[in-house]
Amino acid sequence: KNEVEQSPQNLTAQEGEFITINCSYSVGISALHWLQQHPGGGIVSLFMLSSGKKKHGRLIATINIQEKHSSLHITASHPRDSAVYICAVKDTGNQFYFGTGTSLTVIP
Amino acid sequence: DTGVSQDPRHKITKRGQNVTFRCDPISEHNRLYWYRQTLGQGPEFLTYFQNEAQLEKSRLLSDRFSAERPKGSFSTLEIQRTEQGDSAMYLCASSLEKSYNEQFFGPGTRLTVL
């Protein structure tokens, strides 16, 4: 069993759609990260959360510590948002666990 | 460019050979992490350093893998007697201890073992 589960695994959306990617985890955490990985492997950190909600442009990330769940939302999606989105958690023992990622394709 | 850099970007080697990868973190970052990512999977934690001290090492890391960060700046990851199953992208990331662990990733080294 993976410590971090993401859904869906693959997501195709029309440009302009509102997108939600979900992440559930089973370990006690000190922080949760949302990462974006483009073809070719480059990874960019989008958000780091330990509680509540963060917003950056069209991206919103929320976390519910009690339910061990986080969501990443993209408003007004655009083809340039096409990438793999990875949820990662840092447990209280300094280990990082990663989800397998959600592959997003936004069609013009 | 002041981001995390890794060298080489690609490495092709024959099974049984040793390989070494280098990571140069962002200069003021005292934490450095190594991850491995295989196709279709999320990154897998390998090890991390705070300054020159290796503080955590994944239970999944075999004895053929060793990492060093001798002066608390750049780090090397060596794989001895490579196996085909070692083929993966090896990612390095760095962070400040006080930035609540926000990590900055390097471009990765893609290893192919023939």
Side-chain angles (χ1 to χ4, degrees), chain A residues 15-70:
Chain A
E15 183 173 356
E17 284 186 8
F18 179 84
I19 288 163
T20 296
I21 300 171
N22 295 300
C23 174
S24 297
Y25 54 90
S26 58
V27 296
I29 70 167
S30 59
L32 180 144
H33 300 249
W34 280 102
L35 309 171
Q36 182 191 56
Q37 186 170 32
H38 283 280
I43 292 180
V44 174
S45 177
L46 298 175
F47 294 103
M48 186 182 62
L49 296 163
S50 54
S51 64
K53 176 179 175 178
K54 285 190 175 179
K55 184 176 189 294
H56 184 253
R58 295 181 294 106
L59 302 178
I60 302 166
T62 63
I63 187 169
N64 185 317
I65 297 293
Q66 287 73 31
E67 294 185 3
K68 295 189 174 182
H69 181 269
S70 175

Side-chain angles (χ1 to χ4, degrees), chain A residues 6-13 16-23 34 58-62 69-77 85 102-104 106:
Chain A
Q6 284 185 239
S7 64
Q9 280 191 306
N10 296 285
L11 181 57
T12 300
E17 284 186 8
F18 179 84
I19 288 163
T20 296
I21 300 171
N22 295 300
C23 174
W34 280 102
R58 295 181 294 106
L59 302 178
I60 302 166
T62 63
H69 181 269
S70 175
S71 293
L72 175 69
H73 305 285
I74 305 175
T75 61
S77 58
Y85 292 83
T102 295
S103 179
L104 171 65
V106 181

Side-chain angles (χ1 to χ4, degrees), chain A residues 33 37 48 90 95-96 98, chain B residues 37 43 45 100-101 103:
Chain A
H33 300 249
Q37 186 170 32
M48 186 182 62
K90 175 181 174 293
Q95 287 267 353
F96 276 88
F98 293 78
Chain B
Q37 185 177 27
F45 171 78
Y100 303 101
N101 297 306
Q103 296 187 20

Side-chain angles (χ1 to χ4, degrees), chain B residues 7-70:
Chain B
D7 182 69
R9 295 291 304 276
H10 302 272
K11 177 71 177 178
I12 300 173
T13 190
K14 291 183 179 178
R15 190 174 48 189
Q17 298 294 305
N18 299 343
V19 294
T20 300
F21 309 141
R22 176 177 170 130
C23 171
D24 285 89
I26 293 172
S27 59
E28 63 268 28
H29 285 186
N30 55 357
R31 286 191 174 177
L32 186 149
Y33 305 80
W34 284 101
Y35 300 97
R36 176 173 62 191
Q37 185 177 27
T38 53
L39 198 63
Q41 300 295 316
E44 173 188 39
F45 171 78
L46 295 179
T47 188
Y48 104 92
F49 292 84
Q50 182 157 309
N51 300 312
E52 65 276 10
Q54 188 174 17
L55 296 188
E56 290 284 339
K57 190 173 176 181
S58 170
R59 293 179 294 275
L60 302 173
L61 207 61
S62 81
D63 292 342
R64 297 184 297 105
F65 287 71
S66 62
E68 293 182 344
R69 196 183 183 196

